[in-house]
Each structure stands twice: as structure tokens, then as C-alpha cells.
Amino acid sequence: MTLPASTASTLSYDNKDCKYSVFYFKFHALGACPRALLCFGEAQWDNKVQDLSEWPQIRDSAPFGTLPILLETDLTTGKTIEIPESGAIERYLARMFGLLGDTAREEVLSDVFYAQAVILDTKYIEMLRCTFEEIRMKALEQFLGTTLPNWVKACERHLKENGNTGHFVDNKFTLADIKTAVVLDTYLALDSEKVLNPTNCPCLWKLKKTVDTHPTYAAWRKSEQFKDMDEVVQAGVGALMPLDIKKSHIFS
Ligand SMILES: N[C@@H](CCC(=O)N[C@@H](CS)C(=O)NCC(=O)O)C(=O)O
């Protein structure tokens, strides 16, 4: 991780003229939220796809041997910052683009529901992806029957209290909205219709629509690059469990 010595000025969230590169593999997973945030920030960015076959030779040059990595280039000074760890990248971009709320109250609300989306996604990966073939279908039943509905219920309760604005925090976009909409893509693609539908979770449905119809993000979701990654996910995850990636494109 190559943060410059004087991080105070680098992290002061002034209006720097920057461009960004997201280094990740050719699928959504942990690359999806950083890419979405760059759309919401109307940033100048590109998607650097790491070929899986070349990854073993490159792994040692990554700070923690993993991707995603965000590269920020200050266009005025030419200085670069390399940031690993998806959570750090997401919070950094959210802060840069004013997506962490404007007060401590707003920030903590965003943090809580951001954390919930991260925890749910970690459970999904542990229960369904990194598991044995023999128990995957049983784990899917438990995820769709208990884990996902519990998360949906908690989100609905808060979103309703917030007036069903399509946001977790008042009437403004925060990291929590964006992370939630991103992780929902995966669950919508599963056989989750009983849980994820406009009658059972009207407020989450509205949040998903509010995020996915943001013009810059909607354009990214319709891009060839995004479609290519959809295909990779369909082939890879679809080989492990029933999945139809088209179902994640309800609104864009
Ligand atoms: N805690 C890290 C985990 C990153 C991670 O495990 N990335 C995986 C892809 S999803 C990876 O780079 N795998 C390649 C490897 O481990 O060699 C983060 O959140 O960024």
C-alpha cells in the first residue's frame, strides 16, 4: 500500500482533479461496489481487468496478494495512491464523493446499513460459495429461508421509518444505499422471488430502483463491459447453484 507520507493533505477530501483505475477480475463481486461508487461520483475512471491466468505471476506485487486495488492519480501533480481492501476503497470513495452523510448521525446510519450489507454478503460467500458440493443446496435453502429474510426485515423496518424515500439516510444517497443495491444483484439472481418482491419488501425495492436508475450508474450497468461480467458470473456461479443473472436487471 503506497500512501504518501503526508496523508493529511491527501485525505482532506478537497476537490482534487483525479482519475481512478479499479484493478479486479472479470466479474462483479468485490469490484462491483467501487465501480458503482465511481459512477455516483461522476469520476473519470477505467476498469482494469486482471486476467486470471496471469494472476499467479502478479499476486506478489499486490500489497496483500488480493484484488480489488484502487489506483488514484492526481492529475495536477501526477502523484498516485494505491489502495487495497474493498472496505477501505469503498469508504474512501464514498468520503471523496460526499456519500458518507453530512453529520455524525447520517454517517453512523450509513455505516450501520453498510455493515449489514457487508455481513450478509460475507455469509453468502461462506455459506454458498466456499462450501462443499454436498451441502450447498441445503445451505442455499437456509440462506433463502432464514438469513436473507432476516436481513430484509431489518432493512424494511428502518427504510419504512425513514419514510420510504428510497434511501437509508433521509432523502440522500449514501454508501449504505449503493452497497445494498450492489449485493442485492446476487440475491435477486437466485430463486429468491418469495422474499425479494415488491410486496414483501416495498422499501428495499424502491431503494434498488433509486440506485439502479441513477443515470451514470444505469449506463454502466448497460455497458458491454458490465454485460461481459454478467456472463462470467452466469457461467461460474450458475454452475454451482440455480442462478439467472438477468433477474438482477429489474430496473437497469
Ligand atoms: N479482504 C479483501 C479480500 C479480497 C479477496 O479475497 N479478493 C479475491 C477475489 S474476490 C482475490 O484477490 N483472490 C485472488 C487470490 O487470493 O489469489 C478485500 O475485501 O479486498
Side-chain angles (χ1 to χ4, degrees):
M1 173 158 159
T2 52
L3 282 177
S6 150
T7 49
S9 63
T10 308
L11 300 179
S12 64
Y13 316 110
D14 45 3
N15 276 333
K16 282 186 299 175
D17 194 8
C18 291
K19 70 170 187 184
Y20 299 89
S21 297
V22 178
F23 291 83
Y24 195 60
F25 305 103
K26 192 177 177 179
F27 43 81
H28 302 302
L30 295 179
C33 189
R35 293 170 186 138
L37 286 161
L38 287 159
C39 293
F40 277 80
E42 306 287 353
Q44 195 183 325
W45 69 284
D46 56 7
N47 192 38
K48 301 275 192 206
V49 174
Q50 174 59 54
D51 196 306
L52 273 169
S53 65
E54 289 163 13
W55 173 241
Q57 289 88 57
I58 291 170
R59 185 192 280 119
D60 281 351
S61 63
F64 301 119
T66 57
L67 296 178
I69 290 175
L70 178 78
L71 185 74
E72 181 192 85
T73 305
D74 186 320
L75 294 171
T76 314
T77 62
K79 282 191 180 157
T80 58
I81 311 174
E82 186 191 63
I83 306 172
E85 277 301 321
S86 56
I89 295 170
E90 288 164 11
R91 283 191 58 83
Y92 180 72
L93 290 175
R95 183 120 193 208
M96 292 301 285
F97 302 145
L99 294 165
L100 283 184
D102 297 318
T103 62
R105 173 195 155 268
E106 292 176 5
E107 185 168 336
V108 80
L109 264 182
S110 174
D111 280 351
V112 166
F113 287 96
Y114 170 70
Q116 283 297 309
V118 173
I119 291 164
L120 180 70
D121 215 41
T122 307
K123 284 184 187 163
Y124 161 78
I125 291 168
E126 285 174 357
M127 288 169 74
L128 301 174
R129 303 282 303 279
C130 309
T131 191
F132 296 105
E133 197 50 54
E134 310 84 70
I135 58 169
R136 183 170 286 117
M137 286 308 121
K138 197 78 202 146
L140 181 60
E141 212 178 293
Q142 198 194 330
F143 183 82
L144 293 175
T146 308
T147 316
L148 184 64
N150 285 346
W151 173 78
V152 165
K153 214 161 116 189
C155 290
E156 279 297 310
R157 197 185 309 128
H158 171 76
L159 289 166
K160 199 172 165 198
E161 271 169 29
N162 191 47
N164 193 14
T165 59
H167 302 281
F168 282 111
V169 180
D170 303 339
N171 200 10
K172 56 175 75 170
F173 281 114
T174 59
L175 176 59
D177 296 344
I178 296 163
K179 185 74 180 181
T180 298
V182 164
V183 300
L184 270 170
D185 276 342
T186 307
Y187 319 135
L188 282 164
L190 301 173
D191 288 340
S192 58
E193 284 85 350
K194 269 193 203 150
V195 185
L196 298 177
N197 65 65
T199 308
N200 190 50
C201 53
C203 302
L204 260 183
W205 210 255
K206 183 164 177 188
L207 179 145
K208 179 75 174 141
K209 183 177 181 179
T210 306
V211 172
D212 285 8
T213 54
H214 176 281
T216 312
Y217 184 47
W220 166 240
R221 290 174 64 81
K222 289 194 176 94
S223 70
E224 284 309 310
Q225 286 193 73
F226 198 97
K227 281 185 205 155
D228 286 351
M229 291 190 280
D230 269 356
E231 277 174 26
V232 173
V233 172
Q234 183 62 53
V237 185
L240 301 176
M241 60 190 105
L243 179 105
D244 179 0
I245 198 74
K246 289 194 293 301
K247 292 194 296 183
S248 65
H249 287 275
I250 316 162
F251 305 111
S252 68

